[in-house]
Structure formats: C-alpha cells, structure tokens
Amino acid sequence: MEYRRTAVIKLDTPEGADPLLRETVEQFKHCANTASEWCWHGDDGYHVTSKAKAEQALYDQLRDETNLTANLVQKGIRRAVESVKSGVERLKRGENTSQPYFSANSAVYDKRSATFHREHVSLSTVDGRIECDYILPDDSEKPPTKYISDEDFEFRMAHLQYRDGDWYLHASMRNVEADDEPESDSKHRTVLGVDLGVNNIVVASTGRFWSADEFNHWRNEYEKRRGSLQQCDSRYAHENIESVGRKETGRFEIYLHTVANELITEAVEHDCSHIVFKDLTHIRENIPKATWQHVWAFRRLYEYVEYKVEEYDVEVVQVDPRNTSKRCSTCGFTHGDNRSGESFCCQKCGYENHADYNASKNIGLQYLRRRQNANDGGAPVDVRLNRGMLNVNGEYSPTALSS
C-alpha cells in the first residue's frame, strides 16, 4: 500500500502577500544558484556533493546576503547539492550535463519554515510569516481535499510554486496510521540486507552488486602519489601530500554519495522498510583485508545512507555480523569451510553462491531473528531477494516481482 501522496493546493493569498512571496522565492533561488556555482566548481577542480561541506562554506555568507530564515537558507543550499549530485552521476555515465541553474519560481518548506493546517498554511517570508487559506474542491473524495481532510495524512514538506499568476503548494503528505500503531502490529515489513567488502563495496540481498574496482584503483593511485612525495622531505612535498589527501577524500565522497543514493533507490523500489548493515564497531576484525580507506568508506557510506533516508519511509539499522559470512542462508549450517574467498558452498546442503551475496541475506536474517527474540508480537518480516522473499526460517517464497 502506498502511504505517500502529493497534494497540489491552490493558495488564497492575503492582500500584500504576493510581493513578499515573490521576494522570498527570488532570495531562495539566489541561495540555490550561489551554492550550485560553488559546488560545481568545487575545491581543487572537484564537484562538491557534501551538504555539510557546502553549508559550512556558504551558510554565513547567504544569511548575510538574504533576509531568509536559517531553514530556508539551508534548504536552498541542499537543493543545489542534490542537483549537483545528479549532474555528477550523469557525468560518470558519460552523459553531457552542465552546472545546475535554478530559474523556476519555487522554494522548499518543511515544518520549521511552514506550519501546515487543514485549512491554511503559515509560511516564512523575507518579512515575517503570512497565512494563506487553501482553495479546495468541494468534493471530499477528490484530491487534494481527500488527503487534506483525512487526519491519517500528515504534512511532511512542500514546494511553494508560482505559475500563471497564482501560488500553489505542492505538499508531500504521508499516511501516519501505520506509524501510530505499536511495533507489535501485523504490518508486514521487508528488509534489505547489506554486506560490505573490499572487492564489492556493497552487495544487497536483492542481488545488486556495487563493485569497489573504481574505489580500489584510486586508493592505489593516491597511495603511490603519497609514497613518492614522502621520499622528498621538503615543505613542498608535505603541502602536496595534504593536497593529495583532499583530492582523495573529495573523489571518494562523490563515489560514496552515488552508491548511497542507488542503495536507497534499491530499497524504495523493492518496498523495503529497513536497510540492514552489519555493525561497524569492529569492522577491521570482521574484514581483515580492509585498509583504513575501506574502513573510512564503510562508515561514511553508512552515515550518508542514514541521513538520506530521512526523506523516505525507510530505517537504517545495524546487526551483529558474527557468522554472517560462514552461515548458509538456506539451511543455517555454520562452518568456516563454507566460505572460500568470494565463493560460498554449504558443506551440509550444497547451496552455492557468491559469498558476499550469501552474507547479505544472512545480515537481513539476523535482523529478523533479533526482532523474533524481542517478543514484540511477531509482526511478519522478510528479507527482500531479487525474485522473492526469505523468512526467518530460511523459507523462500516468490512474489509478484518475479515475473
């Protein structure tokens, strides 16, 4: 069942509100375009795709240059960063693109910059707040009236847009009926198990692999550059080592943002309620071949996924990784001889597959077992696979996705 809806609401603006909204939108576009310019050209020639880095660099400047609230300034910067990320992904696919430019008369509001009511909205502007009534169809079963009048739907955020002489609110709404129910309800949950590794940085239980070839290639290249510079004991060499480190971090952050976005898309497209990682506390012990760059990347990737999923109905959790690489996801037999490098072959039932894929399913199953042991009522939970579901007993069932 879909729980998210977008309600397009025409606004009845009070007298004198139009110039305030117009100026608010203009200043919001200024924030977005300033951030786009800064992020696109970036530091040392690299595009900046970190919201935190962009906000740190631009927030104070844009607060001085505009009359916007802090939240609207942040939203303008973040809109630009998201567009730059999309542009970077297109460049990596060999597609033509250019620096994002924002010309549409729109601004992004959330619950800090807007107060949403069932009949009107209060919006922050460059000069205080204004209240605008909704103009809605009389038919209570017709959108957007259907969603706005339904108390089970709550406002999450909205895009304010101006077109054809009128103001509209494109409000993102979520059905909160399921959220109000206790964890022990009968709502069916589906998890996406995620394994992290040296050769494949991420493997999902759906069978999606994200190769670490690019990451490992550039890690080796930057190591060579550092090693060469360290042989020259000079101030110039030390400065260049720092520069190499900044370039390395920038390149890897772009790569990890892309992986995080695609991983979240994988979870959303498969209707998953949770993305399950293995606990990163002792990651060096669990992945002996991992370098410090790999460990940094695993933790950074988790952080990116954790904050990015705030926009979706998806949670990120960690589970105990013990035996997830040795356990058979089909019969549960656990033995060190089951895994050999990237190959997995169960010594008991004969199940064979890629070792990381088997581990990703076990990581999802580990979360299922944890919920089962918590005695929370036994709400149904399955691990999402490419062509079906896997329950806590290791039983497979095909779904409608397996066409």
Side-chain angles (χ1 to χ4, degrees), residues 190-192 204-207 266 270 272 357 360-361 382-391 395-397 399 401:
T190 307
V191 306
L192 183 72
S205 59
T206 52
E266 187 78 2
H270 286 86
C272 294
Y357 175 56
S360 71
K361 292 194 289 182
D382 291 320
V383 177
R384 172 65 76 176
L385 307 182
N386 186 34
R387 291 191 172 90
M389 302 281 199
L390 192 66
N391 67 22
E395 299 168 341
Y396 169 81
S397 61
T399 69
L401 291 175

Side-chain angles (χ1 to χ4, degrees), residues 1-57:
M1 177 179 178
E2 290 289 336
Y3 284 96
R4 287 186 179 271
R5 296 291 186 270
T6 298
V8 181
I9 309 166
K10 188 175 181 179
L11 299 180
D12 182 11
T13 55
E15 184 178 354
D18 189 72
L20 290 178
L21 293 175
R22 284 176 178 269
E23 182 59 26
T24 301
V25 166
E26 285 300 317
Q27 293 193 14
F28 184 88
K29 289 192 293 183
H30 170 72
C31 291
N33 285 318
T34 300
S36 177
E37 170 74 20
W38 187 85
C39 291
W40 191 255
H41 297 288
D43 296 326
D44 299 322
Y46 288 96
H47 305 304
V48 175
T49 57
S50 165
K51 292 178 184 177
K53 184 180 291 187
E55 286 183 19
Q56 184 178 9

Side-chain angles (χ1 to χ4, degrees), residues 41 50 60 65 209 221 330 344-345:
H41 297 288
S50 165
D60 290 339
E65 292 177 356
F209 284 66
E221 288 297 312
T330 299
F344 185 91
C345 180

Side-chain angles (χ1 to χ4, degrees), residues 298-335:
F298 298 151
R299 290 179 174 147
R300 185 60 60 91
L301 177 65
Y302 178 83
E303 291 170 1
Y304 289 166
V305 173
E306 188 176 36
Y307 86 75
K308 288 173 183 285
V309 295
E310 292 178 359
E311 301 177 16
Y312 306 90
D313 287 329
V314 181
E315 295 183 35
V316 183
V317 295
Q318 295 185 24
V319 296
D320 188 340
R322 282 179 294 181
N323 295 324
T324 51
S325 64
K326 302 174 184 178
R327 181 186 178 93
C328 176
S329 59
T330 299
C331 74
F333 179 68
T334 305
H335 196 282

